[in-house]
mmCIF file of all heavy atoms in Angstrom:
data_model
loop_
_atom_site.group_PDB
_atom_site.id
_atom_site.type_symbol
_atom_site.label_atom_id
_atom_site.label_comp_id
_atom_site.label_asym_id
_atom_site.label_seq_id
_atom_site.Cartn_x
_atom_site.Cartn_y
_atom_site.Cartn_z
ATOM 1 N N SER A 34 3.362 41.282 17.163
ATOM 2 C CA SER A 34 2.722 40.169 17.956
ATOM 3 C C SER A 34 3.355 38.880 17.843
ATOM 4 O O SER A 34 2.944 37.970 18.584
ATOM 5 C CB SER A 34 1.288 40.224 17.700
ATOM 6 O OG SER A 34 0.995 40.107 16.321
ATOM 7 N N VAL A 35 4.217 38.722 16.888
ATOM 8 C CA VAL A 35 4.922 37.442 16.741
ATOM 9 C C VAL A 35 6.110 37.456 17.615
ATOM 10 O O VAL A 35 7.016 38.294 17.583
ATOM 11 C CB VAL A 35 5.375 37.106 15.335
ATOM 12 C CG1 VAL A 35 6.068 35.859 15.250
ATOM 13 C CG2 VAL A 35 4.162 37.104 14.300
ATOM 14 N N ALA A 36 6.106 36.591 18.641
ATOM 15 C CA ALA A 36 7.101 36.651 19.665
ATOM 16 C C ALA A 36 8.418 35.764 19.357
ATOM 17 O O ALA A 36 9.418 35.995 19.761
ATOM 18 C CB ALA A 36 6.550 36.144 21.042
ATOM 19 N N ASP A 37 8.171 34.659 18.689
ATOM 20 C CA ASP A 37 9.194 33.795 18.371
ATOM 21 C C ASP A 37 9.085 33.010 17.018
ATOM 22 O O ASP A 37 7.924 32.729 16.795
ATOM 23 C CB ASP A 37 9.525 32.770 19.516
ATOM 24 C CG ASP A 37 10.868 32.008 19.410
ATOM 25 O OD1 ASP A 37 11.788 32.674 18.898
ATOM 26 O OD2 ASP A 37 10.880 30.849 19.735
ATOM 27 N N VAL A 38 10.152 32.777 16.383
ATOM 28 C CA VAL A 38 10.089 32.000 15.078
ATOM 29 C C VAL A 38 11.160 30.982 15.094
ATOM 30 O O VAL A 38 12.280 31.251 15.397
ATOM 31 C CB VAL A 38 10.302 32.914 13.775
ATOM 32 C CG1 VAL A 38 10.141 32.221 12.575
ATOM 33 C CG2 VAL A 38 9.382 34.152 13.876
ATOM 34 N N ARG A 39 10.740 29.824 14.660
ATOM 35 C CA ARG A 39 11.821 28.637 14.477
ATOM 36 C C ARG A 39 11.443 28.069 13.157
ATOM 37 O O ARG A 39 10.295 27.776 12.874
ATOM 38 C CB ARG A 39 11.733 27.694 15.641
ATOM 39 C CG ARG A 39 12.181 28.281 16.975
ATOM 40 C CD ARG A 39 12.441 27.206 17.986
ATOM 41 N NE ARG A 39 13.671 26.514 17.822
ATOM 42 C CZ ARG A 39 14.852 26.936 18.252
ATOM 43 N NH1 ARG A 39 14.958 28.141 18.765
ATOM 44 N NH2 ARG A 39 15.869 26.224 17.982
ATOM 45 N N ILE A 40 12.449 27.908 12.332
ATOM 46 C CA ILE A 40 12.298 27.306 10.968
ATOM 47 C C ILE A 40 12.991 25.987 10.824
ATOM 48 O O ILE A 40 14.180 25.909 11.203
ATOM 49 C CB ILE A 40 12.760 28.355 10.004
ATOM 50 C CG1 ILE A 40 11.975 29.674 10.110
ATOM 51 C CG2 ILE A 40 12.647 27.810 8.521
ATOM 52 C CD1 ILE A 40 12.298 30.672 9.157
ATOM 53 N N GLY A 41 12.282 25.046 10.260
ATOM 54 C CA GLY A 41 12.904 23.770 10.048
ATOM 55 C C GLY A 41 12.372 23.249 8.682
ATOM 56 O O GLY A 41 11.932 24.074 7.834
ATOM 57 N N LYS A 42 12.533 21.986 8.424
ATOM 58 C CA LYS A 42 12.116 21.415 7.173
ATOM 59 C C LYS A 42 10.862 20.684 7.255
ATOM 60 O O LYS A 42 10.644 20.011 8.365
ATOM 61 C CB LYS A 42 13.239 20.438 6.612
ATOM 62 C CG LYS A 42 14.453 21.146 6.031
ATOM 63 C CD LYS A 42 15.454 20.171 5.601
ATOM 64 C CE LYS A 42 16.230 19.517 6.827
ATOM 65 N NZ LYS A 42 17.344 18.766 6.529
ATOM 66 N N HIS A 43 10.071 20.558 6.268
ATOM 67 C CA HIS A 43 8.926 19.642 6.229
ATOM 68 C C HIS A 43 9.117 18.760 5.038
ATOM 69 O O HIS A 43 9.185 19.265 3.854
ATOM 70 C CB HIS A 43 7.528 20.520 6.110
ATOM 71 C CG HIS A 43 6.465 19.664 6.392
ATOM 72 N ND1 HIS A 43 5.718 19.617 7.497
ATOM 73 C CD2 HIS A 43 5.795 18.801 5.519
ATOM 74 C CE1 HIS A 43 4.705 18.806 7.461
ATOM 75 N NE2 HIS A 43 4.756 18.293 6.249
ATOM 76 N N ILE A 44 9.067 17.469 5.257
ATOM 77 C CA ILE A 44 9.323 16.525 4.236
ATOM 78 C C ILE A 44 8.185 15.549 4.003
ATOM 79 O O ILE A 44 7.633 15.015 4.932
ATOM 80 C CB ILE A 44 10.517 15.701 4.513
ATOM 81 C CG1 ILE A 44 11.800 16.668 4.654
ATOM 82 C CG2 ILE A 44 10.864 14.618 3.424
ATOM 83 C CD1 ILE A 44 12.859 16.174 5.454
ATOM 84 N N HIS A 45 7.639 15.496 2.808
ATOM 85 C CA HIS A 45 6.592 14.561 2.509
ATOM 86 C C HIS A 45 7.075 13.405 1.722
ATOM 87 O O HIS A 45 7.729 13.577 0.751
ATOM 88 C CB HIS A 45 5.516 15.351 1.671
ATOM 89 C CG HIS A 45 4.407 14.545 1.214
ATOM 90 N ND1 HIS A 45 3.198 14.548 1.781
ATOM 91 C CD2 HIS A 45 4.368 13.552 0.312
ATOM 92 C CE1 HIS A 45 2.325 13.672 1.211
ATOM 93 N NE2 HIS A 45 3.103 12.988 0.323
ATOM 94 N N LEU A 46 6.884 12.165 2.274
ATOM 95 C CA LEU A 46 7.326 11.003 1.553
ATOM 96 C C LEU A 46 6.116 10.222 1.167
ATOM 97 O O LEU A 46 5.085 10.113 1.805
ATOM 98 C CB LEU A 46 8.114 10.076 2.458
ATOM 99 C CG LEU A 46 9.383 10.581 3.099
ATOM 100 C CD1 LEU A 46 10.026 9.437 3.955
ATOM 101 C CD2 LEU A 46 10.442 11.012 2.066
ATOM 102 N N GLN A 47 6.180 9.491 -0.050
ATOM 103 C CA GLN A 47 5.264 8.510 -0.390
ATOM 104 C C GLN A 47 6.037 7.161 -0.292
ATOM 105 O O GLN A 47 7.066 6.988 -0.990
ATOM 106 C CB GLN A 47 4.734 8.754 -1.777
ATOM 107 C CG GLN A 47 3.628 9.786 -1.752
ATOM 108 C CD GLN A 47 2.722 9.754 -3.038
ATOM 109 O OE1 GLN A 47 2.777 8.687 -3.677
ATOM 110 N NE2 GLN A 47 2.065 10.768 -3.204
ATOM 111 N N VAL A 48 5.537 6.206 0.545
ATOM 112 C CA VAL A 48 6.241 5.100 0.872
ATOM 113 C C VAL A 48 5.354 3.825 0.488
ATOM 114 O O VAL A 48 4.153 3.724 0.969
ATOM 115 C CB VAL A 48 6.553 5.019 2.421
ATOM 116 C CG1 VAL A 48 7.246 3.767 2.694
ATOM 117 C CG2 VAL A 48 7.353 6.265 2.864
ATOM 118 N N GLU A 49 5.914 2.868 -0.142
ATOM 119 C CA GLU A 49 5.273 1.642 -0.372
ATOM 120 C C GLU A 49 5.632 0.643 0.711
ATOM 121 O O GLU A 49 6.741 0.391 0.981
ATOM 122 C CB GLU A 49 5.779 1.000 -1.675
ATOM 123 C CG GLU A 49 5.303 1.416 -3.038
ATOM 124 C CD GLU A 49 3.702 1.020 -3.141
ATOM 125 O OE1 GLU A 49 3.381 -0.042 -2.499
ATOM 126 O OE2 GLU A 49 2.944 1.793 -3.608
ATOM 127 N N ALA A 50 4.586 0.273 1.519
ATOM 128 C CA ALA A 50 4.820 -0.577 2.743
ATOM 129 C C ALA A 50 3.575 -1.408 2.906
ATOM 130 O O ALA A 50 2.439 -1.140 2.515
ATOM 131 C CB ALA A 50 5.028 0.304 3.946
ATOM 132 N N ALA A 51 3.718 -2.494 3.719
ATOM 133 C CA ALA A 51 2.666 -3.349 3.997
ATOM 134 C C ALA A 51 1.715 -2.947 5.091
ATOM 135 O O ALA A 51 0.599 -3.247 5.171
ATOM 136 C CB ALA A 51 3.217 -4.780 4.323
ATOM 137 N N SER A 52 2.359 -2.079 5.854
ATOM 138 C CA SER A 52 1.567 -1.600 7.126
ATOM 139 C C SER A 52 2.012 -0.198 7.505
ATOM 140 O O SER A 52 3.067 0.263 7.102
ATOM 141 C CB SER A 52 1.673 -2.550 8.289
ATOM 142 O OG SER A 52 2.987 -2.440 8.819
#
Side-chain angles (χ1 to χ4, degrees):
Chain A
S34 49
V35 178
D37 192 36
V38 182
R39 294 188 78 80
I40 299 183
K42 285 177 288 190
H43 192 98
I44 300 155
H45 175 105
L46 300 182
Q47 282 199 16
V48 181
E49 275 295 328
S52 69

